[in-house]
Amino acid sequence: MTNETSVKAINHLGYQNPPDDIAALINAAPTPGASLSPSGAWMLLLEKPNMPSIEEVAQPELRLAGIRINPRTNGSSRPFYYNGFKIKSLQSFTEKAVKGLPDHLKIENVSWSPRGDKIAFTNTIATGLELWLIDLATATAKKMTAAIVNDAISGLPYRWFSDGKMILYKAIVDNREQAPVANPVPFGPVIQENKERMAPVRTYQDLLKNKHDEALFSYYTTSQLKTVDLQTGAQANFGTPAIISNLQTSPDGNYVLVTTIQSPFSYVVPYARFATQISIVDRRGQQVKKIADIPSSEDIPKGFGAVRKGPRSFSWRADQPAILIWVEAQDEGDPKNEAAIRDQMYVLEAPFTKNEKPLIQFQLRYGGIDWGRGDLAICYEWWWPNRQLVTSRWQPDHPEKGKEILSDRSWEDSYNDPGEFVTKRNANGRSILLENDGRLYLRGQGASAEGNRPFVDTFDLKNKKTIRLWRSEAPYYERAVSLKQILDNKILTARESNDEPLNYFFRNLETGKLTQITHFENPYKILQSVKKELIKYKRADGVDLTATLYTPPDYDSSKDGRLPVLMWAYPREYKSAAAAGQVKDSPYEFIRIGWFSPIFWVTQGYAVLDDFSMPIVGEGEEEPNETFIEQLVMDAEAAVKAIVERGVADPKRLAVGGHSYGAFMTANLLAHSDMFAAGIARSGAYNRTLTPYGFQSEERTFWEAPETYFKMSPFMHADNIKTPLLLIHGDADNNSGTYPMQSERFYAALKGQGAPVRLVMLPHESHSYRAKESVMHMLWEMDCWLKRHV
């Protein structure tokens, strides 16, 4: 057979299936999701379908301004959805099905009413999205609208009013005409111009390209707000049509904060950075006050601490009826500017007839607020260069008293993470701090040298001391899901172990008694006898590293000898070696598997080293990427040494792989080391000159660090790669920087250098793969590659 004939045969290869054991794992019934009501009295069990077919994923889609729209439904082009509901009482533990649901459900946008007695959701049919309502008292579903919900822009397309009796939703404009049709004859060239203004932007995909794209974007994203009375079903228009990117009803339900996108549109940034107008409207949809006109944000300074000029981060104060807050940068949004105060918070109270007032200042970048009451709130601020995170207490009604710092640490330091403050829903359905007798509550992952051990603490507001109420104990990994019953010394937890799937329990904090609520079965019984082990080892320079090692059932290295190994990882940058060396997993988590997982190959007789540490450290003023290649190779050498010395790995039969930045890692390891017999790189970027304004955690531009960009790009070192490399990429990748062209050009470079390489482009797939046929074929490709070369 000639080479030309061979290439044609490969090009016409249909979808293939992997070995039966791998296929069985993909076909396993997914474990239901769970959602707890605001009152804590009910649990909603959300049934998940298996993967959609390629026919479903291949439905027409529009790629406009950073979003992907299904023109038939005016919703997301490839949504994740549920296909059934069950309701479980957390008092009687009885379970009942919901009556009145239609056939062939595609459930999205699920949310509880403020009082937790109802559930709203959208159901997608062939022609659009309907709004539905479930009444928990009767466990009955009712359709509230026709298929007119506009879900083109991401985010919940509706909002509850605080009384739970009415919903405000985005609808397709009444009597909308047919979609714009492109004129095959161009009006003229598309021109962009910059007049001596620095406007660095990262590499985005799916941007607007011409006037027809603009027309389509306006057509599908323009909504007419409507109210629907949940008792009578009566509907009414609310305001006038607009491109609405965000809605926030006030806690008292008397006002709505509306963010609308304004033209002209940008061709260099996605819609989230288009010009916007922020307004407050009343319950009838009449404008009360225009808060701000914000121009298109094309010129945000570079750097991860950079923000746009002007007001941002609008929200309602959760503990008050109708008080609006926002922040404005005091350093022109540029982290490189010296400034004693980085952000200033402003407040505007109903009826919004007066001007805003300054509320509180932030020395670092504003990071959010947990509201409590007039003399209690918790605020957060952060700073990227040193990974600093500051948590403070302050009094919203007395801002002149300033902030009291409760925690000042590096967010990379997991061992000293005090946890997050626990919140509850108030009468208006808003999250406020859970407080009891002068104490707040904290829950966290409990990272430690022995692995994650989630915990619940109390925090005394007077002396700022914590008392541990509970901590997860081996051989289980258990985390607190809800503290709604804490006054009865009970918490709701999610509990699992290596061979027991996640299930929900009530835990009595005094007696330790567990009451099981759900009884989900293990969907991966074929993996029950697989051995999972969290291993620890050191890098050559002393940095502590970890990995999770999976070996086949009944494997004994002393009897069964060495195995071929698939090693899978994803590099991460750190500002300290100490933080890089911290354990970030638990040895007791259930072995769960997804399309992205390498664990499949433990069923085929391989050992799998998953998530082996690949830290890239740059302490102080040093940039981590200055020694990216050296550290990458050192990390991999340490992992290989650890599994070889354990007697598990055959050093001549090692494969390395990864997805996205892990693919970038894989290509670099093959270019700069000879440890591996094969590589697998999925959906990666290989030429950093194509992402010239930064990538991953790299803030510098190509022109500031050309040597680093060149050195880190495996494309530039294609002539060094002699190890067989399998490249897989979705041909509709929407991730910033990982254009499908990245794999196509890298394949061409490797082919030109005579390297053994195979390129697989998955039709209609984006950065994450969705269709069952695509995933099955991807696994078949990987399995064949490993069998051939490892």
Side-chain angles (χ1 to χ4, degrees):
M1 181 181 288
T2 66
N3 286 339
E4 182 180 359
T5 305
S6 176
V7 169
K8 286 182 179 178
I10 292 173
N11 285 344
H12 288 88
L13 182 69
Y15 288 108
Q16 302 294 309
N17 289 316
D20 289 346
D21 285 346
I22 292 179
L25 291 169
I26 287 292
N27 287 321
T31 300
S35 175
L36 198 65
S37 71
S39 65
W42 301 94
M43 177 179 281
L44 183 67
L45 300 178
L46 299 155
E47 297 167 1
K48 303 175 185 177
N50 210 306
M51 292 180 177
S53 68
I54 189 63
E55 181 180 6
E56 184 175 337
V57 172
Q59 292 296 307
E61 70 177 2
L62 300 172
R63 303 170 187 176
L64 303 166
I67 54 178
R68 294 187 170 185
I69 302 168
N70 183 334
R72 296 178 180 176
T73 65
N74 221 109
S76 172
S77 67
R78 48 186 75 202
F80 289 87
Y81 57 83
Y82 302 102
N83 63 348
F85 286 125
K86 287 182 181 175
I87 298 172
K88 194 175 190 75
S89 168
L90 296 185
Q91 295 163 341
S92 66
F93 303 132
T94 56
E95 190 176 294
K96 51 186 175 181
V98 177
K99 302 183 292 290
L101 291 170
D103 296 332
H104 311 299
L105 277 168
K106 290 187 178 180
I107 299 164
E108 299 176 71
N109 302 306
V110 180
S111 74
W112 292 89
S113 65
R115 290 171 176 75
D117 58 341
K118 297 179 178 66
I119 300 164
F121 66 94
T122 60
N123 178 50
T124 303
I125 62 174
T127 56
L129 283 80
E130 309 162 329
L131 181 64
W132 282 71
L133 189 74
I134 296 175
D135 187 307
L136 266 70
T138 60
T140 301
K142 178 182 179 182
K143 186 170 74 169
M144 302 307 300
T145 75
I148 58 172
V149 176
N150 190 332
D151 196 21
I153 291 180
S154 60
L156 203 65
Y158 64 87
R159 290 291 186 274
W160 291 91
F161 283 103
S162 56
D163 58 11
K165 297 177 180 179
M166 188 172 289
I167 283 178
L168 177 68
Y169 73 97
K170 293 192 288 185
I172 293 168
V173 175
D174 298 331
N175 302 313
R176 187 173 68 173
E177 297 178 354
Q178 293 297 311
V181 177
N183 187 338
V185 179
F187 173 77
V190 176
I191 299 170
Q192 300 183 59
E193 181 178 7
N194 185 62
K195 296 183 178 179
E196 298 182 359
R197 181 184 67 168
M198 290 188 66
V201 292
R202 288 209 164 195
T203 309
Y204 296 110
Q205 306 217 46
D206 299 342
L207 299 178
L208 299 180
K209 301 178 182 64
N210 50 49
K211 286 293 183 182
H212 179 62
D213 278 359
E214 290 191 48
L216 287 172
F217 176 75
S218 293
Y219 179 84
Y220 285 102
T221 59
T222 298
S223 297
Q224 170 64 63
L225 288 178
K226 291 178 180 283
T227 57
V228 55
D229 186 302
L230 302 183
Q231 196 164 24
T232 66
Q235 300 196 34
N237 285 352
F238 187 94
T240 57
I243 303 176
I244 300 163
S245 59
N246 192 24
L247 290 172
Q248 296 185 52
T249 55
S250 63
D252 64 3
N254 290 328
Y255 302 96
V256 182
L257 184 70
V258 181
T259 303
T260 57
I261 291 174
Q262 307 293 306
S263 60
F265 304 140
S266 171
Y267 286 16
V268 297
V269 292
Y271 82 91
R273 290 174 62 175
F274 286 4
T276 56
Q277 183 179 104
I278 314 293
S279 299
I280 295 175
V281 301
D282 62 21
R283 188 75 180 243
R284 298 169 299 160
Q286 300 299 309
Q287 187 178 85
V288 174
K289 188 179 184 68
K290 183 172 74 172
I291 303 298
D293 278 307
I294 301 169
S296 178
S297 302
E298 293 184 3
D299 59 348
I300 293 178
K302 66 184 180 66
F304 289 103
V307 295
R308 73 184 185 204
K309 298 177 184 177
R312 70 180 201 281
S313 300
F314 293 88
S315 65
W316 296 104
R317 182 170 157 179
D319 62 329
Q320 293 294 316
I323 296 179
L324 185 66
I325 60 116
W326 68 86
V327 296
E328 294 187 29
Q330 305 298 293
D331 57 3
E332 297 186 321
D334 192 340
K336 291 185 171 53
N337 290 339
E338 294 294 330
I341 302 300
R342 293 286 175 183
D343 280 333
Q344 170 72 58
M345 177 172 284
Y346 292 90
V347 60
L348 183 63
E349 301 184 26
F352 314 110
T353 54
K354 298 180 180 179
N355 293 327
E356 68 272 15
K357 297 184 296 185
L359 187 61
I360 191 171
Q361 296 177 328
F362 297 91
Q363 287 71 37
L364 307 179
R365 200 60 82 204
Y366 168 70
I369 289 181
D370 290 328
W371 300 99
R373 42 185 164 80
D375 62 349
L376 175 64
I378 304 295
C379 64
Y380 306 89
E381 49 195 308
W382 58 274
W383 197 240
W384 172 262
N386 58 357
R387 312 305 194 260
Q388 185 180 7
L389 177 63
V390 177
T391 303
S392 302
R393 174 186 176 182
W394 64 294
Q395 299 184 41
D397 290 352
H398 299 282
E400 72 280 358
K401 294 185 178 181
K403 304 192 298 287
E404 178 186 16
I405 294 177
L406 303 180
S407 171
D408 186 350
R409 66 182 187 88
S410 166
W411 69 67
E412 292 181 342
D413 182 6
S414 300
Y415 288 0
N416 289 303
D417 183 354
E420 63 179 12
F421 285 101
V422 178
T423 61
K424 66 175 183 178
R425 292 275 198 104
N426 63 13
N428 290 326
R430 305 306 165 101
S431 293
I432 62 170
L433 290 163
L434 175 61
E435 183 183 1
N436 175 37
D437 195 23
R439 295 175 299 170
L440 301 179
Y441 295 88
L442 291 160
R443 61 180 170 190
Q445 274 284 28
S448 70
E450 59 194 274
N452 291 340
R453 293 181 60 189
F455 65 86
V456 173
D457 288 349
T458 60
F459 177 82
D460 193 304
L461 287 166
K462 292 182 179 179
N463 59 29
K464 299 191 290 294
K465 292 183 178 179
T466 59
I467 297 175
R468 182 133 300 169
L469 296 180
W470 168 81
R471 189 185 189 194
S472 179
E473 298 288 344
Y476 291 94
Y477 175 75
E478 187 175 2
R479 56 185 175 83
V481 175
S482 171
L483 273 64
K484 296 183 189 302
Q485 287 85 10
I486 191 71
L487 297 183
D488 296 326
N489 287 309
K490 287 195 305 184
I491 60 174
L492 180 68
T493 69
R495 189 174 192 246
E496 60 190 274
S497 69
N498 282 175
D499 53 7
E500 295 178 26
L502 180 147
N503 272 291
Y504 293 89
F505 295 79
F506 273 127
R507 171 176 284 278
N508 188 301
L509 294 177
E510 286 187 335
T511 66
K513 179 183 176 182
L514 287 170
T515 303
Q516 189 165 353
I517 297 169
T518 61
H519 297 81
F520 302 142
E521 294 186 358
N522 183 355
Y524 311 124
K525 292 182 180 178
I526 193 174
L527 299 177
Q528 273 188 313
S529 300
V530 167
K531 183 179 179 182
K532 174 186 175 184
E533 182 182 4
L534 183 69
I535 65 172
K536 301 177 182 179
Y537 52 99
K538 285 185 181 291
R539 204 164 77 171
D541 60 358
V543 175
D544 292 318
L545 304 175
T546 60
T548 303
L549 177 64
Y550 299 88
T551 49
D554 304 320
Y555 171 73
D556 184 336
S557 59
S558 63
K559 298 177 182 177
D560 302 323
R562 297 181 180 274
L563 298 174
V565 182
L566 174 58
M567 302 171 61
W568 202 263
Y570 190 96
R572 290 174 173 82
E573 296 85 349
Y574 294 90
K575 289 304 291 180
S576 77
Q582 292 183 351
V583 179
K584 298 169 182 65
D585 295 310
S586 168
Y588 306 118
E589 289 183 82
F590 177 65
I591 301 177
R592 57 176 52 85
I593 203 162
W595 67 265
F596 46 81
S597 176
I599 302 172
F600 293 102
W601 279 274
V602 77
T603 69
Q604 305 301 301
Y606 296 80
V608 175
L609 193 71
D610 191 22
D611 197 22
F612 65 94
S613 297
M614 295 295 284
I616 309 298
V617 183
E619 298 197 287
E621 297 298 317
E622 181 185 359
E623 293 287 346
N625 285 339
E626 287 303 295
T627 54
F628 178 88
I629 299 300
E630 293 84 352
Q631 293 193 62
L632 201 71
V633 173
M634 193 162 36
D635 290 332
E637 287 176 340
V640 168
K641 180 181 178 183
I643 55 177
V644 169
E645 288 182 347
R646 297 174 82 87
V648 172
D650 181 345
K652 295 182 179 180
R653 293 191 293 164
L654 304 175
V656 65
H659 190 89
S660 193
Y661 209 52
F664 175 71
M665 168 206 77
T666 297
N668 267 310
L669 285 173
L670 299 194
H672 300 285
S673 74
D674 59 0
M675 290 177 276
F676 303 102
I680 299 171
R682 295 193 319 227
S683 298
Y686 309 103
N687 183 349
R688 284 303 165 197
T689 68
L690 298 177
T691 55
Y693 283 103
F695 56 91
Q696 209 68 6
S697 293
E698 178 58 68
E699 294 184 284
R700 296 169 298 174
T701 70
F702 167 75
W703 297 274
E704 291 174 303
E707 296 85 0
T708 300
Y709 273 66
F710 184 93
K711 185 178 178 180
M712 288 181 67
S713 296
F715 179 88
M716 307 302 180
H717 309 284
D719 56 335
N720 292 343
I721 296 179
K722 311 301 179 187
T723 303
L725 177 60
L726 173 63
L727 296 168
I728 302 175
H729 214 121
D731 74 1
D733 195 327
N734 61 340
N735 185 56
S736 178
T738 56
Y739 294 111
M741 178 182 68
Q742 288 273 9
S743 285
E744 292 166 344
R745 299 312 300 156
F746 192 38
Y747 169 78
L750 292 170
K751 179 184 175 186
Q753 294 297 322
V757 60
R758 180 179 174 91
L759 172 64
V760 180
M761 301 299 292
L762 298 173
H764 303 290
E765 296 294 349
S766 62
H767 197 60
S768 295
Y769 311 153
R770 289 280 283 131
K772 179 177 285 190
E773 291 89 342
S774 300
V775 171
M776 290 290 198
H777 187 86
M778 173 200 76
L779 295 170
W780 176 80
E781 291 279 1
M782 292 174 64
D783 188 67
C784 291
W785 198 254
L786 292 170
K787 285 176 178 173
R788 189 190 312 174
H789 299 291
V790 182

